[in-house]
Amino acid sequence: MSVTRFLVFLATLPLAAAAPPAAFTAHAIASDLRGGYQVVVADLNHDGRPDLIAVASGMPELVWYENPGWQRHVLATGVNRMINCVVVGNEIVLASEFNNEAKNSRGIVSVLRPGADVTQAWTVTEIDRIPTSHRLRLAHLGGGRTIVVNAALTAATASGPDFRGATPLVYYVPGEWKRHEIGTIEGLVHGIFVTDWNRDGRDDLLMAGFSGILLFSPKKDGTWSRTEIAKGDPAPWPKSGASDITVGHLGKRRFLATIEPWHGNEVAVYTERGKQWERKVIDTSLTDGHTVQTADFNRDGNDEIVAGFRGAPHSVYLYNWSGADWTRGVLDEGGMGAAACAVADLNGDGREDIACIDGTRLKWYENAAR
């Protein structure tokens, strides 16, 4: 048997059964948000405890909650239709003035800087405008180089429901804050996941949208290569492709987990078979699916999948690998129409917890696994 065939054979072998999924205890942090969209984990006051930033599109204030008492502080006022932020060093990059229709979206990108007291309002400085600026992420390119990636939702000339056009993908170098081009993607782009895909010490970008799942990788000459990983949902455009994406592991084997199609009803898992990524839909019951994460919550060596959706019954599900298939459990039934979730050890006990945000609520789910 050739080495290639042997490796393919190993990939088809069932994995050992995983432990039961972790149990979680829900804690309410806020219930008065308007248009809650993103939760970001960051130690803003540098006390060694991760805090939570709540990005809420329907509020004119960007707020954060201080761990462990979750006191509320205001980072900025007068910022409208916020959609995403990312923390880089002692600064925050914020995308605001967002709308799904590019003609109504100014796509303002700003840098927030603290004063002597981080609990007081930070200064806001505009650095760029790209219509439908939507997803901001931090990436590391090796050699101490850090960038902030800005993935727009659509092209500047696009309109629904097809959203045809070349959607821009750009980045900024902290301190310089000038726009640099990565490339374009045809049609609407919703999800982005940063990972060192090819294990070369530099982060790559997994993008999910109408055109499927695409990989952008930095090259030594400063340009980026583009590779199609999978086409996502095979339905005709604009129900094609993928919406949100993450990477997980079963033992040493890597998999992809997605929400499909855009704001869709499916949770799909992709496993590598030779040079192809095999798609398997493990759930079709979501309504307006909008976030997917992975982590080894029960510490059995296999990652679980967290998927949240904004439509009724407004829930967050937890999928556990049984050794032969994925089984669905419930993290929050009817109490969290999650627009976004984040994974972090919020109480310093060495176990990964989950924070989720929806239209009005921010919660953290304490991992009670032994």
Side-chain angles (χ1 to χ4, degrees):
M1 181 182 292
S2 69
V3 172
T4 300
R5 288 184 178 179
F6 180 67
L7 291 174
V8 172
F9 168 75
L10 286 179
T12 64
L13 293 177
L15 295 172
F24 292 84
T25 302
H27 303 275
I29 296 176
S31 59
D32 59 349
L33 302 174
R34 298 193 304 276
Y37 193 84
Q38 183 200 26
V39 56
V40 175
V41 180
D43 183 6
L44 292 182
N45 57 2
H46 306 291
D47 66 352
R49 292 187 291 251
D51 308 301
L52 296 176
I53 303 172
V55 179
S57 300
M59 296 171 58
E61 299 175 331
L62 180 63
V63 298
W64 68 283
Y65 297 88
E66 183 180 353
N67 193 349
W70 305 116
Q71 297 90 347
R72 181 184 187 272
H73 305 291
V74 176
L75 285 161
T77 59
V79 281
N80 299 311
R81 301 201 304 275
M82 296 174 288
I83 197 71
N84 249 215
C85 78
V86 66
V87 178
V88 50
N90 291 320
E91 299 175 317
I92 297 172
V93 185
L94 175 69
S96 61
E97 296 292 348
F98 173 82
N99 190 287
N100 281 349
E101 291 287 339
K103 64 182 180 181
N104 299 322
S105 179
R106 289 193 288 168
I108 296 176
V109 183
S110 303
V111 175
L112 281 62
R113 299 180 176 92
D117 184 352
V118 296
T119 67
Q120 300 302 305
W122 297 27
T123 60
V124 181
T125 304
E126 181 180 324
I127 62 167
D128 200 7
R129 292 192 180 195
I130 299 177
T132 73
S133 290
H134 185 236
R135 293 286 185 257
L136 298 175
R137 296 292 185 270
L138 199 64
H140 302 285
L141 301 185
R145 293 175 298 162
T146 299
I147 61 173
V148 174
V149 179
N150 180 6
L153 182 75
T154 72
T157 56
S159 61
D162 282 354
F163 295 108
R164 294 281 186 181
T167 301
L169 180 63
V170 306
Y171 72 89
Y172 311 97
V173 177
E176 175 190 88
W177 300 122
K178 294 180 180 179
R179 186 195 306 176
H180 299 269
E181 306 294 331
I182 294 176
T184 60
I185 302 170
E186 176 60 27
L188 183 145
V189 177
H190 190 261
I192 176 172
F193 186 79
V194 179
T195 180
D196 184 1
W197 181 260
N198 46 23
R199 301 178 179 89
D200 65 353
R202 296 178 295 174
D203 282 339
D204 310 281
L205 310 176
L206 280 170
M207 311 299 302
F210 286 3
S211 290
I213 302 169
L214 303 174
L215 176 72
F216 284 81
S217 298
K219 298 194 294 185
K220 292 182 179 179
D221 64 0
T223 62
W224 295 69
S225 66
R226 168 179 160 157
T227 306
E228 181 183 279
I229 300 297
K231 295 187 180 300
D233 192 301
W237 190 292
K239 297 296 184 180
S240 59
S243 185
D244 297 276
I245 187 166
T246 189
V247 175
H249 291 84
L250 297 177
K252 294 183 179 180
R253 288 171 51 191
R254 180 170 57 183
F255 68 88
L256 305 176
T258 62
I259 301 290
E260 296 179 359
W262 180 41
H263 294 174
N265 65 307
E266 302 168 337
V267 179
V269 173
Y270 291 81
T271 53
E272 197 168 11
R273 306 295 187 197
K275 294 183 179 180
Q276 303 297 318
W277 285 87
E278 184 177 284
R279 177 178 183 260
K280 180 177 182 179
V281 177
I282 65 171
D283 196 352
T284 60
S285 69
L286 277 61
T287 306
D288 194 7
H290 207 265
T291 183
V292 63
Q293 302 287 334
T294 59
D296 184 6
F297 298 109
N298 58 2
R299 296 182 290 185
D300 67 346
N302 297 324
D303 284 345
E304 289 76 56
I305 301 171
V306 180
F309 55 100
R310 300 184 296 185
H314 312 291
S315 302
V316 183
Y317 293 152
L318 185 65
Y319 304 84
N320 188 60
W321 176 250
S322 69
D325 208 346
W326 294 93
T327 59
R328 190 183 81 188
V330 175
L331 179 68
D332 195 320
E333 186 74 57
M336 171 55 63
C341 295
V343 174
D345 179 6
L346 295 177
N347 57 1
D349 66 356
R351 295 188 291 262
E352 297 280 38
D353 306 302
I354 304 169
C356 295
I357 191 170
D358 71 3
T360 60
R361 295 165 291 204
L362 176 63
K363 295 182 181 181
W364 78 281
Y365 301 86
E366 182 180 4
N367 188 343
R370 294 184 178 180

